[in-house]
Amino acid sequence: METAYLAALGIIGLLGLSTLGATLRQAGPYGRHMTAGQTGTMPARAAWLLFESPQWFAFALTFWLVAPPEAGPSSVMLFLFGLWQAHYFYRGLIYPLRMRDRHKSFPIVAVCFGFVFNLCNGFANAYAVGHAAHLMDTAWLGDPRFIVGLAVAAFGWVVNFQADNILLSLRGDGFTGYRIPHGGAFRWVSSANYFGEIVFWWGWAIMSWTPAGLVFALFSMANLMPRAVAHHRWYRTRFPDYPKNRRAVIPHLL
């Protein structure tokens, strides 16, 4: 099983590099970057529910059937399990059910890519959490890395959740196009939701202190930062009055 874990880490790394290279050339053709008459798509809500689902079941099955030590999972492991499942309960179920743009579509190729990535990532992170020696000791709950990581993750989640609410409210009146978001971290960046997501997973990487957590945090940056830059350019092209002081995804930097 250790071989499968290392292979999953390698696959995630390769997917991250390929995603970074592709997105730097052209933003993924979904959402605002879809082209007119694009084929090979499916409804966006169903697509989201499908490609996020492995993060639930792959993590849960690995955690309970493959990863637990003989003595059973420690309180630290159970906390991390609960945090992961809670995040994806929101991200993989609640959020897509709250989506207002039901007419939107999503490329099937991207759904397949997302499904494979999430399958590998859910397995790798659950295996890492279940086998990390430092996570078997309850003392880890008082370790500075756990405390700092938890604080970072909490901050990132709040930023991401607030950004989601702001974006969803832009279509609260039935409007189906795009508007300039305001408030929250949108004061400083065009993609506050991506900023929050990146920060959250760096918090996870710090608090879990595993190779899988680090690889996922790096993948999140490779996946979301180039797309955020593309969003930023799109906003500036689409809206002449777009706030000039905003950055793309990292306040005051990028």
Side-chain angles (χ1 to χ4, degrees), residues 20 23-27 32-33 189-195 198 221-237 242 246-250 253-254:
L20 177 62
T23 311
L24 285 174
R25 291 193 300 272
Q26 182 180 3
R32 73 197 68 200
H33 302 292
V189 295
S190 297
S191 295
N193 50 335
Y194 291 170
F195 171 60
I198 291 169
M221 293 179 67
N223 181 37
L224 298 178
M225 291 180 72
R227 188 166 180 83
V229 171
H231 278 11
H232 188 62
R233 292 172 181 160
W234 183 90
Y235 274 122
R236 288 192 164 185
T237 301
Y242 194 71
R246 286 189 191 178
R247 298 289 185 173
V249 63
I250 305 297
L253 294 177
L254 176 64

Side-chain angles (χ1 to χ4, degrees), residues 101-185:
D101 46 355
R102 301 182 182 182
H103 66 289
K104 297 289 185 179
S105 57
F106 201 91
I108 295 175
V109 171
V111 174
C112 294
F113 177 94
F115 190 92
V116 171
F117 166 77
N118 288 327
L119 189 66
C120 292
N121 191 54
F123 163 76
N125 273 276
Y127 187 88
V129 167
H131 283 79
H134 61 280
L135 298 181
M136 297 179 186
D137 189 346
T138 305
W140 184 254
L141 294 173
D143 189 282
R145 288 165 290 185
F146 180 85
I147 296 171
V148 170
L150 180 59
V152 170
F155 172 74
W157 194 88
V158 169
V159 169
N160 181 258
F161 182 73
Q162 184 183 47
D164 284 347
N165 286 336
I166 291 171
L167 292 173
L168 289 169
S169 71
L170 296 179
R171 291 174 178 164
D173 58 357
F175 183 70
T176 58
Y178 289 93
R179 292 165 169 162
I180 300 175
H182 295 281

